[in-house]
Amino acid sequence: MPQLNPSPWLNILIFSWVVFLALLLPKILTHNFPYEPNPESAGALEPLPWIWPWH
């Protein structure tokens, strides 16, 4: 059965992880969100009352 031969699949796995770590990971880590909340603008949230019936 050829699918039990790990030689080509191991090379593909290692190569894909090298590509991921070398090219994609730096792009993902440098991504920033345009509207990050700051602690000054976040107000205290008031809890909503429990309105479910108890039965």
Side-chain angles (χ1 to χ4, degrees):
M1 296 202 308
Q3 68 268 23
L4 296 179
N5 183 7
S7 178
W9 304 114
L10 184 63
N11 291 337
I12 291 171
L13 177 73
I14 291 173
F15 181 72
S16 63
W17 271 103
V18 166
V19 167
F20 174 74
L21 292 175
L23 299 177
L24 298 178
L25 194 61
K27 286 188 174 200
I28 293 170
L29 291 177
T30 58
H31 180 74
N32 55 0
F33 295 98
Y35 300 110
E36 290 191 25
N38 54 4
E40 293 86 22
S41 67
L45 297 177
E46 250 182 65
L48 297 174
W50 185 273
I51 58 171
W52 292 358
W54 289 92
H55 32 168

Short mmCIF file of all heavy atoms in Angstrom, two decimals:
data_model
loop_
_atom_site.label_atom_id
_atom_site.label_comp_id
_atom_site.label_asym_id
_atom_site.label_seq_id
_atom_site.Cartn_x
_atom_site.Cartn_y
_atom_site.Cartn_z
N MET A 1 0.84 -1.18 0.00
CA MET A 1 0.00 0.00 0.00
C MET A 1 0.89 1.25 0.00
O MET A 1 1.66 1.46 0.94
CB MET A 1 -0.91 -0.02 1.23
CG MET A 1 -1.85 -1.20 1.16
SD MET A 1 -3.37 -1.20 2.06
CE MET A 1 -3.13 -0.83 3.65
N PRO A 2 0.77 2.10 -0.99
CA PRO A 2 1.68 3.24 -1.10
C PRO A 2 1.43 4.33 -0.06
O PRO A 2 2.31 5.11 0.24
CB PRO A 2 1.44 3.75 -2.51
CG PRO A 2 0.10 3.27 -2.87
CD PRO A 2 -0.09 1.97 -2.14
N GLN A 3 0.22 4.41 0.50
CA GLN A 3 -0.05 5.48 1.46
C GLN A 3 0.66 5.24 2.79
O GLN A 3 0.74 6.14 3.62
CB GLN A 3 -1.55 5.67 1.67
CG GLN A 3 -2.24 4.52 2.36
CD GLN A 3 -2.80 3.52 1.39
OE1 GLN A 3 -2.35 3.42 0.26
NE2 GLN A 3 -3.80 2.76 1.81
N LEU A 4 1.18 4.04 3.01
CA LEU A 4 1.90 3.76 4.24
C LEU A 4 3.37 4.16 4.16
O LEU A 4 4.08 4.11 5.16
CB LEU A 4 1.79 2.28 4.60
CG LEU A 4 0.37 1.80 4.92
CD1 LEU A 4 0.38 0.32 5.23
CD2 LEU A 4 -0.20 2.57 6.09
N ASN A 5 3.83 4.56 2.99
CA ASN A 5 5.20 5.01 2.83
C ASN A 5 5.28 6.47 3.31
O ASN A 5 4.73 7.37 2.67
CB ASN A 5 5.61 4.89 1.37
CG ASN A 5 7.04 5.27 1.15
OD1 ASN A 5 7.77 5.52 2.09
ND2 ASN A 5 7.43 5.36 -0.11
N PRO A 6 5.96 6.76 4.42
CA PRO A 6 5.95 8.12 4.96
C PRO A 6 6.91 9.08 4.28
O PRO A 6 6.88 10.27 4.56
CB PRO A 6 6.37 7.91 6.41
CG PRO A 6 7.23 6.72 6.38
CD PRO A 6 6.66 5.83 5.31
N SER A 7 7.71 8.58 3.37
CA SER A 7 8.75 9.43 2.80
C SER A 7 8.22 10.67 2.08
O SER A 7 8.62 11.78 2.41
CB SER A 7 9.62 8.60 1.87
OG SER A 7 10.60 9.40 1.28
N PRO A 8 7.33 10.56 1.09
CA PRO A 8 6.89 11.80 0.43
C PRO A 8 6.01 12.67 1.32
O PRO A 8 6.07 13.89 1.26
CB PRO A 8 6.13 11.32 -0.80
CG PRO A 8 5.70 9.95 -0.47
CD PRO A 8 6.74 9.39 0.45
N TRP A 9 5.19 12.07 2.17
CA TRP A 9 4.27 12.84 2.99
C TRP A 9 5.00 13.58 4.10
O TRP A 9 4.62 14.69 4.46
CB TRP A 9 3.18 11.93 3.57
CG TRP A 9 2.46 11.20 2.50
CD1 TRP A 9 2.47 9.86 2.27
CD2 TRP A 9 1.65 11.77 1.47
NE1 TRP A 9 1.72 9.57 1.18
CE2 TRP A 9 1.19 10.71 0.66
CE3 TRP A 9 1.26 13.06 1.15
CZ2 TRP A 9 0.38 10.92 -0.45
CZ3 TRP A 9 0.45 13.27 0.05
CH2 TRP A 9 0.02 12.21 -0.73
N LEU A 10 6.03 12.98 4.63
CA LEU A 10 6.81 13.68 5.64
C LEU A 10 7.52 14.90 5.05
O LEU A 10 7.55 15.97 5.67
CB LEU A 10 7.83 12.72 6.27
CG LEU A 10 8.65 13.29 7.42
CD1 LEU A 10 7.76 13.65 8.58
CD2 LEU A 10 9.72 12.31 7.83
N ASN A 11 8.03 14.77 3.85
CA ASN A 11 8.67 15.92 3.19
C ASN A 11 7.67 17.03 2.91
O ASN A 11 7.98 18.22 3.09
CB ASN A 11 9.35 15.47 1.91
CG ASN A 11 10.55 14.61 2.18
OD1 ASN A 11 11.14 14.66 3.25
ND2 ASN A 11 10.92 13.79 1.21
N ILE A 12 6.48 16.66 2.48
CA ILE A 12 5.44 17.66 2.20
C ILE A 12 5.02 18.35 3.49
O ILE A 12 4.85 19.58 3.53
CB ILE A 12 4.23 16.99 1.51
CG1 ILE A 12 4.62 16.54 0.11
CG2 ILE A 12 3.03 17.91 1.48
CD1 ILE A 12 3.60 15.68 -0.58
N LEU A 13 4.88 17.60 4.57
CA LEU A 13 4.51 18.18 5.85
C LEU A 13 5.57 19.15 6.35
O LEU A 13 5.26 20.27 6.77
CB LEU A 13 4.27 17.07 6.89
CG LEU A 13 3.95 17.54 8.29
CD1 LEU A 13 2.54 18.09 8.36
CD2 LEU A 13 4.12 16.41 9.28
N ILE A 14 6.81 18.75 6.30
CA ILE A 14 7.90 19.61 6.77
C ILE A 14 8.00 20.86 5.90
O ILE A 14 8.15 21.98 6.40
CB ILE A 14 9.22 18.83 6.80
CG1 ILE A 14 9.16 17.77 7.91
CG2 ILE A 14 10.40 19.76 7.00
CD1 ILE A 14 10.33 16.84 7.91
N PHE A 15 7.89 20.71 4.59
CA PHE A 15 7.96 21.86 3.70
C PHE A 15 6.81 22.83 3.92
O PHE A 15 6.99 24.05 3.91
CB PHE A 15 7.99 21.38 2.24
CG PHE A 15 8.08 22.50 1.26
CD1 PHE A 15 9.25 23.21 1.10
CD2 PHE A 15 6.98 22.86 0.49
CE1 PHE A 15 9.34 24.26 0.21
CE2 PHE A 15 7.06 23.90 -0.42
CZ PHE A 15 8.25 24.60 -0.56
N SER A 16 5.61 22.30 4.13
CA SER A 16 4.46 23.19 4.35
C SER A 16 4.61 23.95 5.67
O SER A 16 4.24 25.13 5.75
CB SER A 16 3.16 22.40 4.32
OG SER A 16 3.14 21.46 5.36
N TRP A 17 5.15 23.33 6.74
CA TRP A 17 5.36 24.02 7.99
C TRP A 17 6.47 25.07 7.85
O TRP A 17 6.38 26.13 8.46
CB TRP A 17 5.70 23.05 9.11
CG TRP A 17 4.46 22.57 9.77
CD1 TRP A 17 3.87 21.37 9.62
CD2 TRP A 17 3.64 23.31 10.69
NE1 TRP A 17 2.73 21.30 10.38
CE2 TRP A 17 2.59 22.47 11.05
CE3 TRP A 17 3.72 24.56 11.22
CZ2 TRP A 17 1.59 22.89 11.93
CZ3 TRP A 17 2.74 24.98 12.10
CH2 TRP A 17 1.69 24.14 12.44
N VAL A 18 7.48 24.80 7.07
CA VAL A 18 8.54 25.79 6.85
C VAL A 18 7.97 27.00 6.13
O VAL A 18 8.27 28.15 6.48
CB VAL A 18 9.72 25.17 6.09
CG1 VAL A 18 10.66 26.22 5.55
CG2 VAL A 18 10.47 24.19 6.98
N VAL A 19 7.14 26.77 5.13
CA VAL A 19 6.50 27.88 4.41
C VAL A 19 5.61 28.67 5.35
O VAL A 19 5.61 29.90 5.36
CB VAL A 19 5.71 27.35 3.20
CG1 VAL A 19 4.80 28.41 2.62
CG2 VAL A 19 6.67 26.83 2.15
N PHE A 20 4.84 27.96 6.16
CA PHE A 20 3.95 28.64 7.11
C PHE A 20 4.74 29.50 8.09
O PHE A 20 4.40 30.66 8.33
CB PHE A 20 3.10 27.62 7.85
CG PHE A 20 2.27 28.21 8.94
CD1 PHE A 20 1.14 28.95 8.62
CD2 PHE A 20 2.60 28.05 10.26
CE1 PHE A 20 0.36 29.52 9.62
CE2 PHE A 20 1.84 28.61 11.27
CZ PHE A 20 0.71 29.34 10.94
N LEU A 21 5.79 28.94 8.66
CA LEU A 21 6.54 29.68 9.67
C LEU A 21 7.37 30.81 9.08
O LEU A 21 7.57 31.84 9.72
CB LEU A 21 7.44 28.72 10.46
CG LEU A 21 6.70 27.72 11.35
CD1 LEU A 21 7.69 26.75 11.96
CD2 LEU A 21 5.90 28.42 12.41
N ALA A 22 7.85 30.64 7.86
CA ALA A 22 8.73 31.65 7.28
C ALA A 22 7.97 32.78 6.59
O ALA A 22 8.39 33.93 6.66
CB ALA A 22 9.67 30.98 6.27
N LEU A 23 6.85 32.47 5.95
CA LEU A 23 6.16 33.49 5.17
C LEU A 23 4.88 34.00 5.82
O LEU A 23 4.64 35.21 5.85
CB LEU A 23 5.82 32.93 3.78
CG LEU A 23 7.00 32.50 2.92
CD1 LEU A 23 6.51 31.91 1.62
CD2 LEU A 23 7.92 33.66 2.67
N LEU A 24 4.06 33.10 6.29
CA LEU A 24 2.75 33.53 6.76
C LEU A 24 2.74 34.03 8.20
O LEU A 24 2.02 34.97 8.53
CB LEU A 24 1.75 32.38 6.62
CG LEU A 24 1.52 31.89 5.20
CD1 LEU A 24 0.57 30.72 5.18
CD2 LEU A 24 0.99 33.02 4.34
N LEU A 25 3.52 33.42 9.06
CA LEU A 25 3.49 33.79 10.47
C LEU A 25 3.91 35.25 10.71
O LEU A 25 3.25 35.95 11.49
CB LEU A 25 4.33 32.82 11.28
CG LEU A 25 4.15 32.87 12.78
CD1 LEU A 25 2.73 32.54 13.16
CD2 LEU A 25 5.12 31.93 13.45
N PRO A 26 4.97 35.76 10.09
CA PRO A 26 5.29 37.18 10.31
C PRO A 26 4.19 38.12 9.83
O PRO A 26 3.93 39.15 10.47
CB PRO A 26 6.57 37.39 9.50
CG PRO A 26 7.18 36.05 9.40
CD PRO A 26 6.03 35.09 9.35
N LYS A 27 3.51 37.77 8.74
CA LYS A 27 2.41 38.63 8.27
C LYS A 27 1.25 38.61 9.25
O LYS A 27 0.62 39.65 9.49
CB LYS A 27 1.92 38.14 6.91
CG LYS A 27 2.85 38.47 5.79
CD LYS A 27 2.21 38.14 4.46
CE LYS A 27 3.09 38.61 3.35
NZ LYS A 27 2.38 38.77 2.10
N ILE A 28 0.97 37.46 9.83
CA ILE A 28 -0.13 37.37 10.78
C ILE A 28 0.22 38.12 12.06
O ILE A 28 -0.62 38.81 12.64
CB ILE A 28 -0.44 35.88 11.07
CG1 ILE A 28 -1.01 35.22 9.82
CG2 ILE A 28 -1.42 35.73 12.21
CD1 ILE A 28 -1.14 33.72 9.92
N LEU A 29 1.45 38.01 12.52
CA LEU A 29 1.82 38.66 13.77
C LEU A 29 1.91 40.18 13.66
O LEU A 29 1.75 40.88 14.66
CB LEU A 29 3.16 38.10 14.27
CG LEU A 29 3.11 36.65 14.75
CD1 LEU A 29 4.50 36.20 15.14
CD2 LEU A 29 2.15 36.49 15.90
N THR A 30 2.16 40.71 12.47
CA THR A 30 2.24 42.17 12.33
C THR A 30 0.89 42.80 12.02
O THR A 30 0.81 44.02 11.93
CB THR A 30 3.23 42.56 11.21
OG1 THR A 30 2.81 41.96 9.98
CG2 THR A 30 4.63 42.11 11.55
N HIS A 31 -0.14 42.00 11.89
CA HIS A 31 -1.47 42.55 11.61
C HIS A 31 -1.99 43.27 12.83
O HIS A 31 -1.90 42.79 13.95
CB HIS A 31 -2.43 41.42 11.23
CG HIS A 31 -3.81 41.91 10.93
ND1 HIS A 31 -4.13 42.56 9.78
CD2 HIS A 31 -4.94 41.85 11.66
CE1 HIS A 31 -5.41 42.87 9.80
NE2 HIS A 31 -5.93 42.45 10.94
N ASN A 32 -2.52 44.47 12.62
CA ASN A 32 -3.12 45.21 13.73
C ASN A 32 -4.55 45.58 13.37
O ASN A 32 -4.90 45.76 12.21
CB ASN A 32 -2.31 46.46 14.10
CG ASN A 32 -2.10 47.36 12.91
OD1 ASN A 32 -2.55 47.06 11.81
ND2 ASN A 32 -1.42 48.46 13.12
N PHE A 33 -5.38 45.69 14.37
CA PHE A 33 -6.78 46.00 14.18
C PHE A 33 -6.97 47.52 14.26
O PHE A 33 -6.39 48.17 15.13
CB PHE A 33 -7.63 45.30 15.23
CG PHE A 33 -7.57 43.81 15.12
CD1 PHE A 33 -6.72 43.08 15.93
CD2 PHE A 33 -8.35 43.15 14.19
CE1 PHE A 33 -6.66 41.71 15.82
CE2 PHE A 33 -8.29 41.78 14.07
CZ PHE A 33 -7.45 41.05 14.88
N PRO A 34 -7.77 48.10 13.40
CA PRO A 34 -7.88 49.56 13.36
C PRO A 34 -8.60 50.16 14.57
O PRO A 34 -8.32 51.28 14.95
CB PRO A 34 -8.66 49.83 12.08
CG PRO A 34 -9.38 48.56 11.79
CD PRO A 34 -8.53 47.46 12.33
N TYR A 35 -9.51 49.44 15.18
CA TYR A 35 -10.29 50.01 16.28
C TYR A 35 -10.12 49.15 17.52
O TYR A 35 -11.03 48.44 17.93
CB TYR A 35 -11.77 50.10 15.90
CG TYR A 35 -12.00 50.96 14.69
CD1 TYR A 35 -12.40 50.41 13.49
CD2 TYR A 35 -11.82 52.33 14.76
CE1 TYR A 35 -12.60 51.20 12.38
CE2 TYR A 35 -12.02 53.12 13.65
CZ TYR A 35 -12.41 52.55 12.47
OH TYR A 35 -12.62 53.33 11.38
N GLU A 36 -8.98 49.25 18.15
CA GLU A 36 -8.77 48.51 19.39
C GLU A 36 -9.35 49.32 20.55
O GLU A 36 -9.10 50.52 20.66
CB GLU A 36 -7.29 48.26 19.61
CG GLU A 36 -6.71 47.26 18.64
CD GLU A 36 -5.32 46.81 19.04
OE1 GLU A 36 -5.00 46.89 20.25
OE2 GLU A 36 -4.58 46.40 18.16
N PRO A 37 -10.12 48.68 21.41
CA PRO A 37 -10.71 49.43 22.53
C PRO A 37 -9.64 49.78 23.57
O PRO A 37 -8.72 49.03 23.81
CB PRO A 37 -11.73 48.45 23.11
CG PRO A 37 -11.24 47.11 22.71
CD PRO A 37 -10.54 47.29 21.38
N ASN A 38 -9.78 50.94 24.14
CA ASN A 38 -8.87 51.34 25.21
C ASN A 38 -9.63 51.34 26.53
O ASN A 38 -10.85 51.49 26.55
CB ASN A 38 -8.23 52.70 24.92
CG ASN A 38 -9.27 53.75 24.64
OD1 ASN A 38 -10.45 53.51 24.72
ND2 ASN A 38 -8.82 54.95 24.29
N PRO A 39 -8.97 51.17 27.65
CA PRO A 39 -9.67 51.07 28.94
C PRO A 39 -10.41 52.34 29.34
O PRO A 39 -11.36 52.28 30.09
CB PRO A 39 -8.56 50.77 29.93
CG PRO A 39 -7.38 50.37 29.14
CD PRO A 39 -7.55 50.91 27.77
N GLU A 40 -10.00 53.50 28.84
CA GLU A 40 -10.67 54.75 29.22
C GLU A 40 -12.08 54.83 28.63
O GLU A 40 -13.00 55.37 29.23
CB GLU A 40 -9.86 55.97 28.76
CG GLU A 40 -8.54 56.13 29.47
CD GLU A 40 -7.42 55.34 28.83
OE1 GLU A 40 -7.55 54.99 27.64
OE2 GLU A 40 -6.44 55.04 29.52
N SER A 41 -12.26 54.30 27.41
CA SER A 41 -13.56 54.41 26.77
C SER A 41 -14.52 53.31 27.20
O SER A 41 -15.72 53.41 26.96
CB SER A 41 -13.41 54.38 25.25
OG SER A 41 -12.96 53.09 24.85
N ALA A 42 -14.01 52.26 27.80
CA ALA A 42 -14.88 51.16 28.23
C ALA A 42 -15.52 51.52 29.56
O ALA A 42 -14.84 51.69 30.56
CB ALA A 42 -14.07 49.88 28.34
N GLY A 43 -16.81 51.65 29.55
CA GLY A 43 -17.52 51.97 30.78
C GLY A 43 -17.88 50.70 31.54
O GLY A 43 -17.76 49.59 31.03
N ALA A 44 -18.33 50.87 32.76
CA ALA A 44 -18.76 49.73 33.56
C ALA A 44 -20.11 49.25 33.02
O ALA A 44 -21.05 50.03 32.87
CB ALA A 44 -18.86 50.12 35.02
N LEU A 45 -20.20 47.97 32.76
CA LEU A 45 -21.44 47.40 32.25
C LEU A 45 -22.37 47.06 33.41
O LEU A 45 -21.96 46.49 34.40
CB LEU A 45 -21.14 46.14 31.43
CG LEU A 45 -20.31 46.33 30.18
CD1 LEU A 45 -20.02 44.99 29.53
CD2 LEU A 45 -21.03 47.23 29.20
N GLU A 46 -23.63 47.46 33.27
CA GLU A 46 -24.61 47.15 34.29
C GLU A 46 -25.23 45.80 33.97
O GLU A 46 -25.63 45.55 32.83
CB GLU A 46 -25.71 48.21 34.29
CG GLU A 46 -25.68 49.10 35.50
CD GLU A 46 -26.82 50.09 35.47
OE1 GLU A 46 -27.98 49.65 35.54
OE2 GLU A 46 -26.52 51.27 35.35
N PRO A 47 -25.33 44.93 34.94
CA PRO A 47 -25.95 43.63 34.66
C PRO A 47 -27.44 43.78 34.42
O PRO A 47 -28.12 44.60 35.05
CB PRO A 47 -25.66 42.81 35.91
CG PRO A 47 -25.42 43.81 36.97
CD PRO A 47 -24.85 45.02 36.30
N LEU A 48 -27.95 43.00 33.49
CA LEU A 48 -29.37 43.02 33.20
C LEU A 48 -30.12 42.21 34.24
O LEU A 48 -29.61 41.21 34.75
CB LEU A 48 -29.62 42.45 31.80
CG LEU A 48 -29.00 43.23 30.65
CD1 LEU A 48 -29.19 42.48 29.35
CD2 LEU A 48 -29.58 44.61 30.56
N PRO A 49 -31.34 42.58 34.57
CA PRO A 49 -32.10 41.81 35.57
C PRO A 49 -32.51 40.45 35.00
O PRO A 49 -32.68 40.29 33.78
CB PRO A 49 -33.32 42.69 35.85
CG PRO A 49 -33.46 43.53 34.64
CD PRO A 49 -32.07 43.75 34.11
N TRP A 50 -32.68 39.51 35.91
CA TRP A 50 -33.08 38.16 35.53
C TRP A 50 -34.59 38.14 35.38
O TRP A 50 -35.32 38.33 36.34
CB TRP A 50 -32.62 37.18 36.62
CG TRP A 50 -32.87 35.76 36.28
CD1 TRP A 50 -34.02 35.07 36.51
CD2 TRP A 50 -31.97 34.86 35.65
NE1 TRP A 50 -33.90 33.79 36.07
CE2 TRP A 50 -32.63 33.63 35.54
CE3 TRP A 50 -30.68 34.97 35.19
CZ2 TRP A 50 -32.04 32.51 34.97
CZ3 TRP A 50 -30.10 33.86 34.63
CH2 TRP A 50 -30.76 32.65 34.52
N ILE A 51 -35.07 37.94 34.13
CA ILE A 51 -36.53 38.05 33.90
C ILE A 51 -37.15 36.69 33.54
O ILE A 51 -38.31 36.62 33.18
CB ILE A 51 -36.81 39.07 32.80
CG1 ILE A 51 -36.11 38.70 31.51
CG2 ILE A 51 -36.44 40.46 33.26
CD1 ILE A 51 -36.50 39.53 30.32
N TRP A 52 -36.42 35.60 33.66
CA TRP A 52 -36.98 34.31 33.32
C TRP A 52 -37.85 33.81 34.45
O TRP A 52 -37.52 33.96 35.62
CB TRP A 52 -35.88 33.30 33.04
CG TRP A 52 -35.08 33.58 31.82
CD1 TRP A 52 -35.25 34.59 30.93
CD2 TRP A 52 -33.96 32.84 31.36
NE1 TRP A 52 -34.32 34.53 29.94
CE2 TRP A 52 -33.49 33.46 30.18
CE3 TRP A 52 -33.27 31.73 31.82
CZ2 TRP A 52 -32.42 32.98 29.47
CZ3 TRP A 52 -32.20 31.26 31.12
CH2 TRP A 52 -31.77 31.87 29.95
N PRO A 53 -38.95 33.17 34.12
CA PRO A 53 -39.79 32.62 35.21
C PRO A 53 -39.13 31.39 35.83
O PRO A 53 -38.44 30.64 35.16
CB PRO A 53 -41.09 32.26 34.48
CG PRO A 53 -40.71 32.08 33.06
CD PRO A 53 -39.55 32.99 32.82
N TRP A 54 -39.39 31.20 37.12
CA TRP A 54 -38.78 30.08 37.84
C TRP A 54 -39.77 28.91 37.92
O TRP A 54 -40.34 28.62 38.93
CB TRP A 54 -38.40 30.50 39.26
CG TRP A 54 -37.25 31.43 39.30
CD1 TRP A 54 -37.31 32.78 39.28
CD2 TRP A 54 -35.87 31.08 39.33
NE1 TRP A 54 -36.05 33.31 39.31
CE2 TRP A 54 -35.14 32.28 39.34
CE3 TRP A 54 -35.16 29.89 39.35
CZ2 TRP A 54 -33.77 32.32 39.38
CZ3 TRP A 54 -33.79 29.92 39.40
CH2 TRP A 54 -33.10 31.13 39.40
N HIS A 55 -39.98 28.19 36.84
CA HIS A 55 -40.76 26.97 36.93
C HIS A 55 -40.17 25.89 36.12
O HIS A 55 -39.31 25.77 35.53
CB HIS A 55 -42.21 27.10 36.61
CG HIS A 55 -42.64 28.11 35.61
ND1 HIS A 55 -43.89 28.09 35.12
CD2 HIS A 55 -42.06 29.18 35.02
CE1 HIS A 55 -44.07 29.10 34.29
NE2 HIS A 55 -42.98 29.76 34.20
#
